[in-house]
Amino acid sequence: MHRTAADPVVILYHDKYFLFSSHAAGYSYSDNLRDWTHMYSKMPLVKEWAPAVMVYDDYIYYLGFGNKQLYRTNDPINDNWELVEGAELPSTGDPDFFVDNDDRVFFLYGCSSGGPMKGYEVDPKNHFRRISDEVDLMPYNGKRLGWEVPGDHNEKTNQKGWNEGACMVHEGDYYYFLYATPGTEYTTYCTGAYVGESPLGPFEPMVGSPYAICPEGFFTGGGHGHPFKDRYGNQWFVASLIIGAREHYERRIGIFPAYYKDGYAHVVIDGFDKPFVVPNRKVDFEKESILLDMNALSVGKATTASSTFKDMTPEKASDDDIRSWWPAQTGDDGEWLQVDLGRLMSVEAVEVCFADEGFKSYRYDANVPAYKYLVECSEDAETWRVLFDRSNNAQDQIYELLVTPKAERTRYLRVTNKTDFEVGKFSVSEFRVFGHADGKTPGGVENFKSVRQDNRRRIAMSWNPREDAVGYIVRWGASKDRMNHAARVYATEVDYGFFDAEQTYYVAVQPFNEVGLGETSQVVEVK
């Protein structure tokens, strides 16, 4: 499939950001982390999986999965790469370069079910020769660490998960060894963390791990990514997000804030499927949110369409799930999808997420569909006005966030196809509407319970439903002051298996609706 971007690395080089990923046939660059230009490259390795990329001595270095050849460039915009002659690097799965704060370089790798992650120091000025012992940095530890157990619900306890994607961060007195697990096809794909005081260990599981996890919500995942700093010194993590609905390796890429404090590291995924601002200054991401003050207005709302293909009905475009979608019967100009918010609300942004139903868009196909469309709004579903005119769009952009100049008071929104597709159908995986609604936020839930299972990697939670809630945010952490992991759900019971069997947890649940977040329940200690 064309839409398989994953295993990303972002670097800052000469005040531009460069994004590399698996099988991209090139790389992308940006001035602001928001708008990206993709360029197809002639460098021989750009179709490899899971590249290792680093900046060293004013060059970008690139090494592909399972490849011994190393390339470098100091002119990436013009695609001028050269082979690094005589480089002595092994052929490994998921290689990574870690450049420490003192410019020492370490080679990390590991990609297996049940095997260790390894590393050693290299000399980049002498053919990248190994200059330290090779050590096991961490073992497979699924019997203790639930996030290493495979399955969408970490339920495959008779199997070993797939640990991969090693990378490292040095902040303060600590080294944070990061790795992806339990497999790229699972919604529980995440990034675990170990902590030590040396780049080659010893390391221990980080209290409060995983480092990045998003098991439920519009998108899921957060595995096999890479940390980086922006030009202001802010920490970020670029990660793989999971779809897997049309093809096993169907994935996306997301960029999220991160922070590292006194042996604890965290990627802020909670809420980051909603609009946010990329800062142009230094920000303490532990204390300050860059999310815009908007709520999701369209989840679960009545949805209709001009036509429907097979049994993929219109409400699949308002179910807060990237893995389901609505397709029209055709790809003809005029096919439309409409959502009814139920009452007048203040709309401030929409995100149209297209689904590629029936397109033959392969990984290196330059003829990908360019969606041309109108977004309109109405108070009565009879008289319509244009919110956004994208009828002349020529870019391959299947997810597009459109922000209104001012809030629009409206009830109905409609997206209409404005082109004729020769192949494929007009299709939408989610028509997302953001803004504000009048009314009250929900009160707290009653009868919140939490039980640790006999399998101590699992914790079950339940609570009574609230009529004034659209859904619920389940929150957890290893201490009361760091309950910053979250999952958005629409049921009133969950059973999660991604916990550390040897660790105490604190859990709570918070209802929400179109007006905003409600009262958080009492915090329950789970020993």
Side-chain angles (χ1 to χ4, degrees):
M1 295 289 291
H2 175 76
R3 318 291 194 188
T4 60
D7 315 320
V9 179
V10 170
I11 58 170
L12 178 62
Y13 181 74
H14 290 187
D15 207 39
K16 284 187 181 295
Y17 302 99
F18 290 84
L19 167 64
F20 300 83
S21 62
S22 285
H23 280 250
Y27 45 92
S28 303
Y29 57 90
S30 171
D31 291 319
N32 55 19
L33 289 179
R34 186 185 65 242
D35 305 303
W36 294 86
T37 299
H38 185 76
M39 61 178 292
Y40 289 93
S41 174
K42 296 179 181 179
M43 193 261 286
L45 301 185
V46 291
K47 293 184 180 180
E48 301 288 350
W49 294 100
V53 184
M54 73 167 177
V55 176
Y56 185 83
D57 198 23
D58 205 35
Y59 279 88
I60 299 174
Y61 286 84
Y62 183 107
L63 176 69
F65 181 109
N67 206 296
K68 293 184 177 181
Q69 290 183 313
L70 181 68
Y71 281 80
R72 72 176 189 174
T73 182
N74 59 6
D75 186 16
I77 295 296
N78 292 307
D79 197 33
N80 291 324
W81 295 80
E82 63 184 18
L83 178 67
V84 180
E85 299 286 353
E88 296 183 6
L89 289 166
S91 173
T92 66
D94 286 0
D96 184 66
F97 293 113
F98 167 60
V99 183
D100 205 347
N101 300 341
D102 57 5
D103 284 338
R104 294 167 66 195
V105 177
F106 296 82
F107 183 70
L108 315 175
Y109 69 94
C111 183
S112 69
S113 174
M117 312 291 273
K118 296 175 177 287
Y120 56 84
E121 186 174 357
V122 298
D123 183 356
K125 297 185 181 297
N126 187 16
H127 305 293
F128 286 82
R129 289 175 179 165
R130 180 161 62 90
I131 57 174
S132 77
D133 291 337
E134 181 180 65
V135 299
D136 290 353
L137 298 173
M138 55 158 280
Y140 178 76
N141 202 4
K143 289 185 177 181
R144 171 185 168 182
L145 307 177
W147 59 84
E148 294 187 7
V149 177
D152 279 344
H153 305 284
N154 305 102
E155 75 281 4
K156 298 182 180 182
T157 54
N158 61 336
Q159 300 178 22
K160 291 183 177 180
W162 198 271
N163 288 356
E164 59 186 14
C167 53
M168 195 178 296
V169 173
H170 180 190
E171 282 292 321
D173 295 330
Y174 294 95
Y175 290 84
Y176 302 85
F177 182 85
L178 312 173
Y179 67 104
T181 189
T184 192
E185 68 269 37
Y186 301 122
T187 57
T188 51
Y189 196 43
C190 68
T191 298
Y194 276 63
V195 178
E197 297 181 4
S198 164
L200 294 179
F203 291 99
E204 292 292 332
M206 184 187 78
V207 175
S209 189
Y211 164 77
I213 185 170
C214 184
E216 300 199 68
F218 173 59
F219 60 71
T220 63
H224 206 138
H226 212 271
F228 70 96
K229 286 185 178 181
D230 66 18
R231 60 172 61 94
Y232 309 104
N234 296 311
Q235 296 275 8
W236 298 82
F237 187 70
V238 57
S240 303
L241 306 176
I242 310 309
I243 300 179
R246 302 162 188 82
E247 198 261 351
H248 181 79
Y249 287 116
E250 182 187 12
R251 296 163 294 183
R252 301 290 186 264
I253 290 174
I255 296 176
F256 305 97
Y259 59 87
Y260 308 83
K261 294 286 179 69
D262 301 325
Y264 177 75
H266 181 67
V267 173
V268 188
I269 294 183
D270 179 24
F272 271 81
D273 59 345
K274 297 190 294 185
F276 65 93
V277 174
V278 179
N280 58 1
R281 58 182 175 84
K282 188 74 172 69
V283 176
D284 184 345
F285 287 137
E286 184 181 25
K287 298 178 180 178
E288 182 178 346
S289 174
I290 57 173
L291 289 169
L292 290 173
D293 180 22
M294 296 184 192
N295 303 313
L297 307 180
S298 52
V299 176
K301 297 302 172 64
T303 312
T304 54
S306 54
S307 66
T308 296
F309 179 62
K310 295 184 177 179
D311 61 349
M312 294 180 278
T313 50
E315 62 265 21
K316 293 185 181 297
S318 60
D319 62 0
D320 199 32
D321 187 351
I322 201 172
R323 289 167 296 277
S324 65
W325 66 96
W326 159 84
Q329 284 277 3
T330 74
D332 295 347
D333 187 336
E335 295 276 21
W336 54 265
L337 176 76
Q338 177 181 305
V339 62
D340 177 4
L341 301 181
R343 56 193 170 97
L344 291 175
M345 297 185 184
S346 295
V347 173
E348 298 172 49
V350 300
E351 184 182 23
V352 188
C353 308
F354 294 106
D356 288 351
E357 173 66 37
F359 287 100
K360 299 184 183 301
S361 177
Y362 296 101
R363 189 171 289 129
Y364 311 120
D365 184 2
N367 299 313
V368 294
Y371 288 92
K372 304 176 188 292
Y373 60 98
L374 283 180
V375 177
E376 301 167 284
C377 65
S378 173
E379 285 74 49
D380 56 10
E382 294 182 3
T383 303
W384 296 85
R385 63 183 183 275
V386 175
L387 269 183
F388 303 101
D389 186 346
R390 303 290 289 136
S391 56
N392 293 318
N393 176 52
Q395 290 185 322
D396 171 24
Q397 191 163 349
I398 57 171
Y399 302 135
E400 186 163 21
L401 179 69
L402 305 166
V403 181
T404 62
K406 62 178 182 177
E408 291 283 345
R409 189 82 169 165
T410 192
R411 172 174 173 174
Y412 300 90
L413 292 103
R414 181 172 69 185
V415 55
T416 303
N417 186 27
K418 298 304 293 180
T419 190
D420 289 309
F421 290 116
E422 293 182 6
V423 177
K425 305 177 188 302
F426 186 65
S427 52
V428 177
S429 67
E430 200 77 8
F431 186 23
R432 312 182 74 208
V433 183
F434 301 100
H436 290 86
D438 299 330
K440 296 182 179 180
T441 59
V445 302
E446 296 181 351
N447 199 30
F448 176 56
K449 298 177 181 179
S450 182
V451 178
R452 193 152 210 162
Q453 311 287 46
D454 291 339
N455 170 2
R456 291 183 53 79
R457 296 165 296 187
R458 304 200 70 86
I459 297 176
M461 290 167 263
S462 63
W463 56 93
N464 292 347
R466 288 197 60 95
E467 291 186 359
D468 57 354
V470 170
Y472 307 88
I473 309 294
V474 178
R475 302 192 182 279
W476 72 93
S479 63
K480 284 187 177 180
D481 60 342
R482 279 180 171 159
M483 293 176 57
N484 42 28
H485 289 296
R488 187 169 66 243
V489 301
Y490 298 95
T492 55
E493 56 182 315
V494 296
D495 181 1
Y496 292 143
F498 40 69
F499 296 101
D500 183 339
E502 299 181 6
Q503 194 168 284
T504 295
Y505 285 91
Y506 297 85
V507 297
V509 66
Q510 184 177 22
F512 68 89
N513 60 18
E514 303 94 338
V515 183
L517 292 171
E519 296 177 21
T520 302
S521 72
Q522 76 275 19
V523 175
V524 174
E525 182 183 34
V526 185
K527 292 186 178 180

